[in-house]
PDB file of all heavy atoms in Angstrom:
ATOM      1  N   GLY A  25      -0.526   9.849   8.797  1.00 91.00           N
ATOM      2  CA  GLY A  25      -0.871  10.373   7.477  1.00 91.00           C
ATOM      3  C   GLY A  25       0.281  10.290   6.497  1.00 91.00           C
ATOM      4  O   GLY A  25       0.134   9.883   5.352  1.00 91.00           O
ATOM      5  N   VAL A  26       1.457  10.688   6.972  1.00 92.00           N
ATOM      6  CA  VAL A  26       2.659  10.654   6.113  1.00 92.00           C
ATOM      7  C   VAL A  26       3.016   9.219   5.765  1.00 92.00           C
ATOM      8  O   VAL A  26       3.358   8.904   4.627  1.00 92.00           O
ATOM      9  CB  VAL A  26       3.828  11.382   6.806  1.00 92.00           C
ATOM     10  CG1 VAL A  26       5.097  11.234   6.026  1.00 92.00           C
ATOM     11  CG2 VAL A  26       3.487  12.828   7.029  1.00 92.00           C
ATOM     12  N   THR A  27       2.902   8.335   6.748  1.00 93.00           N
ATOM     13  CA  THR A  27       3.210   6.915   6.522  1.00 93.00           C
ATOM     14  C   THR A  27       2.255   6.295   5.507  1.00 93.00           C
ATOM     15  O   THR A  27       2.667   5.564   4.624  1.00 93.00           O
ATOM     16  CB  THR A  27       3.170   6.153   7.854  1.00 93.00           C
ATOM     17  OG1 THR A  27       4.059   6.792   8.764  1.00 93.00           O
ATOM     18  CG2 THR A  27       3.561   4.696   7.663  1.00 93.00           C
ATOM     19  N   LEU A  28       0.975   6.586   5.670  1.00 92.00           N
ATOM     20  CA  LEU A  28      -0.018   6.041   4.748  1.00 92.00           C
ATOM     21  C   LEU A  28       0.213   6.566   3.335  1.00 92.00           C
ATOM     22  O   LEU A  28       0.148   5.799   2.351  1.00 92.00           O
ATOM     23  CB  LEU A  28      -1.423   6.407   5.229  1.00 92.00           C
ATOM     24  CG  LEU A  28      -2.587   5.728   4.546  1.00 92.00           C
ATOM     25  CD1 LEU A  28      -2.497   4.223   4.675  1.00 92.00           C
ATOM     26  CD2 LEU A  28      -3.889   6.210   5.182  1.00 92.00           C
ATOM     27  N   PHE A  29       0.506   7.826   3.217  1.00 93.00           N
ATOM     28  CA  PHE A  29       0.809   8.419   1.907  1.00 93.00           C
ATOM     29  C   PHE A  29       2.031   7.749   1.276  1.00 93.00           C
ATOM     30  O   PHE A  29       2.033   7.353   0.115  1.00 93.00           O
ATOM     31  CB  PHE A  29       1.049   9.928   2.056  1.00 93.00           C
ATOM     32  CG  PHE A  29       1.515  10.577   0.771  1.00 93.00           C
ATOM     33  CD1 PHE A  29       0.629  10.863  -0.236  1.00 93.00           C
ATOM     34  CD2 PHE A  29       2.848  10.872   0.569  1.00 93.00           C
ATOM     35  CE1 PHE A  29       1.045  11.437  -1.438  1.00 93.00           C
ATOM     36  CE2 PHE A  29       3.288  11.456  -0.589  1.00 93.00           C
ATOM     37  CZ  PHE A  29       2.391  11.745  -1.602  1.00 93.00           C
ATOM     38  N   ALA A  30       3.097   7.601   2.059  1.00 93.00           N
ATOM     39  CA  ALA A  30       4.319   7.005   1.551  1.00 93.00           C
ATOM     40  C   ALA A  30       4.103   5.545   1.143  1.00 93.00           C
ATOM     41  O   ALA A  30       4.590   5.108   0.088  1.00 93.00           O
ATOM     42  CB  ALA A  30       5.432   7.094   2.589  1.00 93.00           C
ATOM     43  N   TYR A  31       3.358   4.787   1.939  1.00 92.00           N
ATOM     44  CA  TYR A  31       3.080   3.404   1.586  1.00 92.00           C
ATOM     45  C   TYR A  31       2.293   3.314   0.285  1.00 92.00           C
ATOM     46  O   TYR A  31       2.609   2.531  -0.609  1.00 92.00           O
ATOM     47  CB  TYR A  31       2.301   2.696   2.714  1.00 92.00           C
ATOM     48  CG  TYR A  31       1.986   1.267   2.389  1.00 92.00           C
ATOM     49  CD1 TYR A  31       2.947   0.285   2.552  1.00 92.00           C
ATOM     50  CD2 TYR A  31       0.755   0.893   1.867  1.00 92.00           C
ATOM     51  CE1 TYR A  31       2.683  -1.034   2.248  1.00 92.00           C
ATOM     52  CE2 TYR A  31       0.474  -0.420   1.550  1.00 92.00           C
ATOM     53  CZ  TYR A  31       1.450  -1.386   1.747  1.00 92.00           C
ATOM     54  OH  TYR A  31       1.173  -2.690   1.419  1.00 92.00           O
ATOM     55  N   ALA A  32       1.254   4.153   0.184  1.00 92.00           N
ATOM     56  CA  ALA A  32       0.404   4.087  -1.013  1.00 92.00           C
ATOM     57  C   ALA A  32       1.172   4.467  -2.276  1.00 92.00           C
ATOM     58  O   ALA A  32       1.076   3.804  -3.300  1.00 92.00           O
ATOM     59  CB  ALA A  32      -0.801   5.023  -0.836  1.00 92.00           C
ATOM     60  N   VAL A  33       1.978   5.504  -2.209  1.00 92.00           N
ATOM     61  CA  VAL A  33       2.660   6.003  -3.390  1.00 92.00           C
ATOM     62  C   VAL A  33       3.893   5.166  -3.717  1.00 92.00           C
ATOM     63  O   VAL A  33       4.077   4.724  -4.837  1.00 92.00           O
ATOM     64  CB  VAL A  33       3.051   7.489  -3.220  1.00 92.00           C
ATOM     65  CG1 VAL A  33       3.915   7.967  -4.360  1.00 92.00           C
ATOM     66  CG2 VAL A  33       1.774   8.331  -3.156  1.00 92.00           C
ATOM     67  N   VAL A  34       4.755   4.941  -2.730  1.00 91.00           N
ATOM     68  CA  VAL A  34       6.032   4.270  -2.997  1.00 91.00           C
ATOM     69  C   VAL A  34       5.875   2.762  -3.118  1.00 91.00           C
ATOM     70  O   VAL A  34       6.267   2.166  -4.142  1.00 91.00           O
ATOM     71  CB  VAL A  34       7.075   4.614  -1.896  1.00 91.00           C
ATOM     72  CG1 VAL A  34       8.350   3.846  -2.116  1.00 91.00           C
ATOM     73  CG2 VAL A  34       7.336   6.094  -1.892  1.00 91.00           C
ATOM     74  N   VAL A  35       5.257   2.132  -2.133  1.00 90.00           N
ATOM     75  CA  VAL A  35       5.203   0.673  -2.119  1.00 90.00           C
ATOM     76  C   VAL A  35       4.178   0.147  -3.122  1.00 90.00           C
ATOM     77  O   VAL A  35       4.495  -0.769  -3.920  1.00 90.00           O
ATOM     78  CB  VAL A  35       4.917   0.161  -0.691  1.00 90.00           C
ATOM     79  CG1 VAL A  35       4.758  -1.339  -0.661  1.00 90.00           C
ATOM     80  CG2 VAL A  35       6.014   0.597   0.274  1.00 90.00           C
ATOM     81  N   VAL A  36       2.974   0.665  -3.099  1.00 90.00           N
ATOM     82  CA  VAL A  36       1.935   0.162  -3.993  1.00 90.00           C
ATOM     83  C   VAL A  36       2.024   0.804  -5.354  1.00 90.00           C
ATOM     84  O   VAL A  36       1.995   0.120  -6.393  1.00 90.00           O
ATOM     85  CB  VAL A  36       0.530   0.352  -3.360  1.00 90.00           C
ATOM     86  CG1 VAL A  36      -0.553  -0.090  -4.313  1.00 90.00           C
ATOM     87  CG2 VAL A  36       0.424  -0.385  -2.051  1.00 90.00           C
ATOM     88  N   GLY A  37       2.117   2.106  -5.403  1.00 87.00           N
ATOM     89  CA  GLY A  37       2.105   2.828  -6.698  1.00 87.00           C
ATOM     90  C   GLY A  37       3.325   2.598  -7.536  1.00 87.00           C
ATOM     91  O   GLY A  37       3.247   2.308  -8.721  1.00 87.00           O
ATOM     92  N   ARG A  38       4.510   2.715  -6.945  1.00 88.00           N
ATOM     93  CA  ARG A  38       5.756   2.616  -7.719  1.00 88.00           C
ATOM     94  C   ARG A  38       6.254   1.167  -7.822  1.00 88.00           C
ATOM     95  O   ARG A  38       6.666   0.725  -8.882  1.00 88.00           O
ATOM     96  CB  ARG A  38       6.841   3.473  -7.100  1.00 88.00           C
ATOM     97  CG  ARG A  38       6.526   4.956  -7.109  1.00 88.00           C
ATOM     98  CD  ARG A  38       6.618   5.553  -8.492  1.00 88.00           C
ATOM     99  NE  ARG A  38       7.998   5.510  -8.952  1.00 88.00           N
ATOM    100  CZ  ARG A  38       8.352   5.550 -10.191  1.00 88.00           C
ATOM    101  NH1 ARG A  38       7.446   5.667 -11.118  1.00 88.00           N
ATOM    102  NH2 ARG A  38       9.612   5.494 -10.537  1.00 88.00           N
ATOM    103  N   ARG A  39       6.258   0.456  -6.718  1.00 87.00           N
ATOM    104  CA  ARG A  39       6.811  -0.911  -6.734  1.00 87.00           C
ATOM    105  C   ARG A  39       5.791  -1.958  -7.148  1.00 87.00           C
ATOM    106  O   ARG A  39       6.173  -3.069  -7.485  1.00 87.00           O
ATOM    107  CB  ARG A  39       7.386  -1.277  -5.379  1.00 87.00           C
ATOM    108  CG  ARG A  39       8.614  -0.446  -5.040  1.00 87.00           C
ATOM    109  CD  ARG A  39       9.308  -1.039  -3.879  1.00 87.00           C
ATOM    110  NE  ARG A  39      10.500  -0.235  -3.593  1.00 87.00           N
ATOM    111  CZ  ARG A  39      11.140  -0.287  -2.454  1.00 87.00           C
ATOM    112  NH1 ARG A  39      10.695  -1.067  -1.474  1.00 87.00           N
ATOM    113  NH2 ARG A  39      12.224   0.426  -2.267  1.00 87.00           N
ATOM    114  N   GLY A  40       4.538  -1.645  -7.064  1.00 84.00           N
ATOM    115  CA  GLY A  40       3.502  -2.555  -7.523  1.00 84.00           C
ATOM    116  C   GLY A  40       3.188  -3.708  -6.573  1.00 84.00           C
ATOM    117  O   GLY A  40       2.754  -4.779  -6.999  1.00 84.00           O
ATOM    118  N   VAL A  41       3.429  -3.529  -5.268  1.00 84.00           N
ATOM    119  CA  VAL A  41       3.119  -4.539  -4.302  1.00 84.00           C
ATOM    120  C   VAL A  41       1.606  -4.742  -4.259  1.00 84.00           C
ATOM    121  O   VAL A  41       0.838  -3.792  -4.181  1.00 84.00           O
ATOM    122  CB  VAL A  41       3.659  -4.160  -2.892  1.00 84.00           C
ATOM    123  CG1 VAL A  41       3.186  -5.151  -1.832  1.00 84.00           C
ATOM    124  CG2 VAL A  41       5.163  -4.077  -2.933  1.00 84.00           C
ATOM    125  N   SER A  42       1.163  -5.991  -4.293  1.00 83.00           N
ATOM    126  CA  SER A  42      -0.267  -6.285  -4.316  1.00 83.00           C
ATOM    127  C   SER A  42      -0.855  -6.110  -2.920  1.00 83.00           C
ATOM    128  O   SER A  42      -0.267  -6.470  -1.918  1.00 83.00           O
ATOM    129  CB  SER A  42      -0.500  -7.734  -4.783  1.00 83.00           C
ATOM    130  OG  SER A  42      -1.860  -8.045  -4.688  1.00 83.00           O
ATOM    131  N   THR A  43      -2.068  -5.542  -2.862  1.00 83.00           N
ATOM    132  CA  THR A  43      -2.750  -5.378  -1.587  1.00 83.00           C
ATOM    133  C   THR A  43      -3.896  -6.375  -1.451  1.00 83.00           C
ATOM    134  O   THR A  43      -4.573  -6.382  -0.432  1.00 83.00           O
ATOM    135  CB  THR A  43      -3.336  -3.950  -1.482  1.00 83.00           C
ATOM    136  OG1 THR A  43      -4.197  -3.706  -2.598  1.00 83.00           O
ATOM    137  CG2 THR A  43      -2.240  -2.931  -1.458  1.00 83.00           C
ATOM    138  N   ARG A  44      -4.087  -7.219  -2.421  1.00 80.00           N
ATOM    139  CA  ARG A  44      -5.136  -8.240  -2.334  1.00 80.00           C
ATOM    140  C   ARG A  44      -4.748  -9.238  -1.265  1.00 80.00           C
ATOM    141  O   ARG A  44      -3.620  -9.678  -1.186  1.00 80.00           O
ATOM    142  CB  ARG A  44      -5.317  -8.937  -3.655  1.00 80.00           C
ATOM    143  CG  ARG A  44      -5.803  -8.026  -4.748  1.00 80.00           C
ATOM    144  CD  ARG A  44      -6.000  -8.781  -6.069  1.00 80.00           C
ATOM    145  NE  ARG A  44      -6.121  -7.887  -7.183  1.00 80.00           N
ATOM    146  CZ  ARG A  44      -7.239  -7.270  -7.547  1.00 80.00           C
ATOM    147  NH1 ARG A  44      -8.314  -7.467  -6.851  1.00 80.00           N
ATOM    148  NH2 ARG A  44      -7.265  -6.466  -8.574  1.00 80.00           N
ATOM    149  N   GLY A  45      -5.709  -9.633  -0.447  1.00 77.00           N
ATOM    150  CA  GLY A  45      -5.457 -10.619   0.579  1.00 77.00           C
ATOM    151  C   GLY A  45      -4.926 -10.029   1.896  1.00 77.00           C
ATOM    152  O   GLY A  45      -4.759 -10.741   2.867  1.00 77.00           O
ATOM    153  N   GLN A  46      -4.612  -8.754   1.905  1.00 82.00           N
ATOM    154  CA  GLN A  46      -4.176  -8.108   3.169  1.00 82.00           C
ATOM    155  C   GLN A  46      -5.435  -7.584   3.864  1.00 82.00           C
ATOM    156  O   GLN A  46      -6.107  -6.706   3.379  1.00 82.00           O
ATOM    157  CB  GLN A  46      -3.187  -6.998   2.894  1.00 82.00           C
ATOM    158  CG  GLN A  46      -1.885  -7.470   2.304  1.00 82.00           C
ATOM    159  CD  GLN A  46      -0.939  -6.311   2.027  1.00 82.00           C
ATOM    160  OE1 GLN A  46      -1.239  -5.150   2.328  1.00 82.00           O
ATOM    161  NE2 GLN A  46       0.206  -6.621   1.486  1.00 82.00           N
ATOM    162  N   ARG A  47      -5.727  -8.145   5.014  1.00 83.00           N
ATOM    163  CA  ARG A  47      -6.994  -7.843   5.680  1.00 83.00           C
ATOM    164  C   ARG A  47      -7.123  -6.394   6.126  1.00 83.00           C
ATOM    165  O   ARG A  47      -8.242  -5.875   6.271  1.00 83.00           O
ATOM    166  CB  ARG A  47      -7.166  -8.743   6.899  1.00 83.00           C
ATOM    167  CG  ARG A  47      -7.349 -10.199   6.473  1.00 83.00           C
ATOM    168  CD  ARG A  47      -7.708 -11.058   7.628  1.00 83.00           C
ATOM    169  NE  ARG A  47      -9.017 -10.628   8.112  1.00 83.00           N
ATOM    170  CZ  ARG A  47      -9.546 -11.088   9.216  1.00 83.00           C
ATOM    171  NH1 ARG A  47      -8.913 -11.931   9.953  1.00 83.00           N
ATOM    172  NH2 ARG A  47     -10.730 -10.651   9.612  1.00 83.00           N
ATOM    173  N   ILE A  48      -6.032  -5.705   6.338  1.00 86.00           N
ATOM    174  CA  ILE A  48      -6.086  -4.346   6.855  1.00 86.00           C
ATOM    175  C   ILE A  48      -6.773  -3.387   5.885  1.00 86.00           C
ATOM    176  O   ILE A  48      -7.376  -2.393   6.284  1.00 86.00           O
ATOM    177  CB  ILE A  48      -4.678  -3.806   7.221  1.00 86.00           C
ATOM    178  CG1 ILE A  48      -4.804  -2.500   7.994  1.00 86.00           C
ATOM    179  CG2 ILE A  48      -3.831  -3.624   5.977  1.00 86.00           C
ATOM    180  CD1 ILE A  48      -3.549  -2.056   8.642  1.00 86.00           C
ATOM    181  N   TRP A  49      -6.739  -3.697   4.607  1.00 86.00           N
ATOM    182  CA  TRP A  49      -7.337  -2.811   3.609  1.00 86.00           C
ATOM    183  C   TRP A  49      -8.808  -3.127   3.372  1.00 86.00           C
ATOM    184  O   TRP A  49      -9.509  -2.339   2.735  1.00 86.00           O
ATOM    185  CB  TRP A  49      -6.592  -2.874   2.290  1.00 86.00           C
ATOM    186  CG  TRP A  49      -5.115  -2.670   2.458  1.00 86.00           C
ATOM    187  CD1 TRP A  49      -4.146  -3.550   2.156  1.00 86.00           C
ATOM    188  CD2 TRP A  49      -4.484  -1.511   2.995  1.00 86.00           C
ATOM    189  NE1 TRP A  49      -2.929  -3.006   2.482  1.00 86.00           N
ATOM    190  CE2 TRP A  49      -3.089  -1.768   2.989  1.00 86.00           C
ATOM    191  CE3 TRP A  49      -4.913  -0.288   3.481  1.00 86.00           C
ATOM    192  CZ2 TRP A  49      -2.172  -0.865   3.458  1.00 86.00           C
ATOM    193  CZ3 TRP A  49      -3.989   0.622   3.958  1.00 86.00           C
ATOM    194  CH2 TRP A  49      -2.631   0.340   3.930  1.00 86.00           C
ATOM    195  N   GLY A  50      -9.289  -4.245   3.856  1.00 83.00           N
ATOM    196  CA  GLY A  50     -10.688  -4.623   3.637  1.00 83.00           C
ATOM    197  C   GLY A  50     -10.989  -4.776   2.162  1.00 83.00           C
ATOM    198  O   GLY A  50     -10.165  -5.250   1.381  1.00 83.00           O
ATOM    199  N   GLY A  51     -12.163  -4.360   1.742  1.00 83.00           N
ATOM    200  CA  GLY A  51     -12.569  -4.436   0.351  1.00 83.00           C
ATOM    201  C   GLY A  51     -11.781  -3.505  -0.563  1.00 83.00           C
ATOM    202  O   GLY A  51     -11.745  -3.673  -1.780  1.00 83.00           O
TER     203      GLY A  51
END
């Protein structure tokens, strides 16, 4: 839970890493 929160907020939210094309997230 902590890891998922940190990834979502820091990596995607702040740094703007794209999640398109990463199969783990699905649609």
Side-chain angles (χ1 to χ4, degrees):
V26 174
T27 304
L28 191 58
F29 174 78
Y31 179 81
V33 172
V34 176
V35 176
V36 176
R38 296 288 294 157
R39 292 193 179 163
V41 173
S42 176
T43 56
R44 296 182 195 277
Q46 295 179 3
R47 293 188 65 188
I48 191 167
W49 308 119

